[in-house]
Amino acid sequence: MTKRLLIIEDDEFLQELIDRVAKEMGFETQSIRSLSPDCVGLLESDPDLVLLDLKIPGADGVEVLRAFAEHQFHSPIVLMSGVDTRTLKAARRIGCEHGLNMADTLTKPFGRRKLQATLHSALSMSNMIGPDDLERGIDRGELRLVYQPKRCSKTNRPVGVESLVRWHHPRLGVLAPLRFIGMAEESGLMYRLTDWVLETALRQLKEWELAGIQLTMAINVSSTNLRNPGFPDRCSELVTELELQDPRLILEVTERRAITLDLLTTEVLARLRLRNIELSVDDCGTGFSSLRLLKRLPFSELKIDRSFVKDIVRDRDAWLITRAIVELGHALGLRVVAEGVEDDDTESVLREFGCDQLQGYSIALPMGADCVPAWWASVCDTPASPSNSGSGRVANC
Ligand code: C2E
Ligand code: CA
Ligand code: CA
């Protein structure tokens, strides 16, 4: 897709140079040599990138930045100037404080190569997404769930799925959760996102249940959800409304961020357990949970992190740590799941350790809801023996 560049520069020579270089790079350009402080009309062309000279007849760059901010302009801005670097940096800071996407600065004079490099890196920032985009994405139904199955290591039967969110962004394509989960947390959008995931996943579970497909549903929740006193009721409301058979819902809480023992979190966890909702320590082994915490909080499952599982065949430390987590989990009366299982040898080692459930690319890839019935049928048709684990492994659609 052609990118639009708005050039705000009064120096004719420089303006022509930028115009030429940008067009060679595939930009569509629009140039302006003077402006009024009320320069908002410029934004109507919705440029993907703006090059703004700090000193331009009719207005100074700082006024222009303020006007851009008032109109919530989100595209990256590169500031140019021949004034000293400190002034340029100060102007950039002002832009940042206004919440603008200040991509870079260009100190004059600059040559072709410097300009190309700056345009290139600033453009990659135009792929950046903000909380407003995500909120709009949720409203417009751009989020989808894929489901990754888990199997029982002893019988090889399917036991459940984990829901993983994807954002089908109209401009950037399918975005993985790591591109937007952190932002959702920081911007307070995690409540909305989790609520959407919870409701979508549970409605899906009900549909499968009605089709005779009995699975548990794991969803990933963030620590902010666990500080929301309304969360347990919302979960049980949905379980009741859908008349789901209990216990069908598992909430995975990552250990990468501290699972705290603050009173509110402990209360929310306890109230979830009282409602028959299971709790799993995700990414176990990577984080901050102390053993005491594992004992005191009402978790029912440990999910060993992929970084250990993927190396157990080759790396002695990974082998030892994984085995220790399985033993610890069992000693505490918890179910133990291994994630990131990618080959038969890893599966065999995990079975030897007595790990209860397996998940990973060698078990099944994450798949759309419509592929689950076919996967279910293919694994239920095979004899319940781990030696047949190859069957039904790839549900690639
Ligand atoms: P996670 O919960 O640890 O999820 C497992 C991630 O590993 C998924 O990536 C999955 O596609 C990938 N994976 C599964 N099996 C294998 C394997 O055998 N090998 C390898 N190399 N990778 C495997 P994904 O979907 O990109 O999710 C990344 C993380 O995003 C998740 O890590 C989870 O922490 C977070 N996430 C996903 N969906 C949600 C959600 O709805 N809410 C929240 N709060 N977080 C979510
Ligand atoms: Ca997870
Ligand atoms: Ca994990």
Side-chain angles (χ1 to χ4, degrees):
M1 212 164 41
T2 314
K3 299 282 178 189
R4 286 178 302 274
L5 172 68
L6 174 63
I7 307 162
I8 309 175
E9 169 63 68
D10 62 329
D11 180 317
E12 197 178 337
F13 171 76
L14 206 52
Q15 185 265 313
E16 278 173 14
L17 170 76
I18 298 170
D19 190 72
R20 209 170 39 247
V21 170
K23 281 188 173 136
E24 284 166 13
M25 290 174 72
F27 281 97
E28 216 174 83
T29 60
Q30 182 191 3
S31 297
I32 281 152
R33 293 197 180 145
S34 67
L35 21 90
S36 64
D38 178 25
C39 49
V40 169
L42 292 173
L43 305 181
E44 272 164 21
S45 63
D46 195 25
D48 297 291
L49 179 61
V50 175
L51 283 190
L52 170 65
D53 187 10
L54 261 188
K55 269 192 182 163
I56 188 151
D60 70 55
V62 174
E63 284 174 285
V64 179
L65 289 177
R66 188 173 348 101
F68 280 8
E70 275 164 14
H71 286 79
Q72 302 187 343
F73 183 62
H74 282 303
S75 299
I77 300 166
V78 174
L79 281 184
M80 305 181 286
S81 185
V83 297
D84 62 283
T85 335
R86 277 173 61 188
T87 312
L88 198 55
K89 282 191 176 152
R92 185 186 189 179
R93 233 185 357 262
I94 292 169
C96 290
E97 274 163 17
H98 279 310
L100 291 168
N101 183 352
M102 303 306 293
D104 210 342
T105 54
L106 264 173
T107 309
K108 294 180 191 176
F110 52 79
R112 218 184 149 77
R113 283 174 95 178
K114 174 77 185 146
L115 177 62
Q116 279 172 330
T118 307
L119 287 176
H120 199 270
S121 74
L123 194 61
S124 62
M125 289 187 72
S126 73
N127 286 348
M128 278 173 48
I129 35 180
D132 292 349
D133 301 310
L134 179 57
E135 192 160 24
R136 259 194 310 273
I138 300 174
D139 289 341
R140 292 179 184 165
E142 291 167 10
L143 297 189
R144 311 271 161 77
L145 290 181
V146 290
Y147 300 92
Q148 187 174 25
K150 290 178 281 184
R151 289 166 87 154
C152 168
S153 73
K154 288 189 196 74
T155 65
N156 216 23
R157 291 290 182 204
V159 281
V161 292
E162 174 184 5
S163 73
L164 297 162
V165 70
R166 302 284 179 263
W167 179 4
H168 289 240
H169 192 285
R171 190 165 50 85
L172 304 175
V174 181
L175 301 181
L178 296 181
R179 279 286 299 274
F180 57 92
I181 288 294
M183 176 176 76
E185 250 169 76
E186 282 157 22
S187 61
L189 276 174
M190 200 41 135
Y191 296 115
R192 277 205 66 195
L193 189 140
T194 303
D195 199 66
W196 179 85
V197 171
L198 184 70
E199 179 160 358
T200 309
L202 288 182
R203 290 196 185 282
Q204 185 56 62
L205 191 65
K206 183 67 191 175
E207 232 177 80
W208 289 330
E209 197 180 283
L210 293 173
I213 298 171
Q214 298 290 336
L215 293 166
T216 59
M217 176 64 74
I219 76 162
N220 292 284
V221 297
S222 110
S223 52
T224 51
N225 297 124
L226 301 179
R227 280 199 209 94
N228 172 9
F231 188 55
D233 284 343
R234 174 68 180 141
C235 293
S236 49
E237 239 171 59
L238 274 168
V239 170
T240 311
E241 182 199 320
L242 294 166
E243 297 176 353
L244 283 163
Q245 294 168 18
D246 279 339
R248 304 259 107 202
L249 176 59
I250 303 165
L251 304 181
E252 296 190 7
V253 189
T254 181
E255 203 199 40
R256 287 184 194 278
R257 303 231 180 139
I259 301 171
T260 53
L261 255 186
D262 66 77
L263 188 60
L264 185 54
T265 306
T266 315
E267 264 179 39
V268 169
L269 289 171
R271 289 173 52 223
L272 285 164
R273 277 308 283 140
L274 287 170
R275 285 159 177 74
N276 229 356
I277 291 161
E278 291 200 32
L279 301 165
S280 170
V281 180
D282 200 358
D283 308 317
C284 189
T286 59
F288 302 86
S289 314
S290 70
L291 300 179
R292 198 167 60 95
L293 207 70
L294 288 182
K295 180 92 187 95
R296 284 181 56 184
L297 293 175
F299 284 95
S300 37
E301 178 182 286
L302 295 185
K303 210 166 171 190
I304 312 169
D305 190 63
R306 190 168 79 228
S307 58
F308 303 114
V309 174
K310 75 177 173 45
D311 288 335
I312 50 174
V313 175
R314 288 166 295 278
D315 180 302
R316 178 100 189 129
D317 287 348
W319 186 92
L320 280 169
I321 292 169
T322 305
R323 195 183 61 171
I325 297 177
V326 175
E327 283 172 4
L328 170 72
H330 286 165
L332 292 170
L334 306 176
R335 179 173 64 237
V336 183
V337 182
E339 66 173 19
V341 183
E342 291 188 358
D343 54 59
D344 292 348
D345 292 345
T346 306
E347 281 187 37
S348 308
V349 176
L350 289 162
R351 286 199 175 92
E352 261 170 48
F353 289 169
C355 182
D356 304 287
Q357 294 179 7
L358 309 179
Q359 186 185 32
Y361 293 167
S362 78
I363 307 298
L365 298 175
M367 60 186 90
D370 47 342
C371 294
V372 170
W375 171 79
W376 166 270
S378 75
V379 287
C380 287
D381 281 350
T382 58
S385 141
S387 59
N388 284 314
S389 62
S391 182
R393 134 184 330 180
V394 182
N396 200 358
C397 51

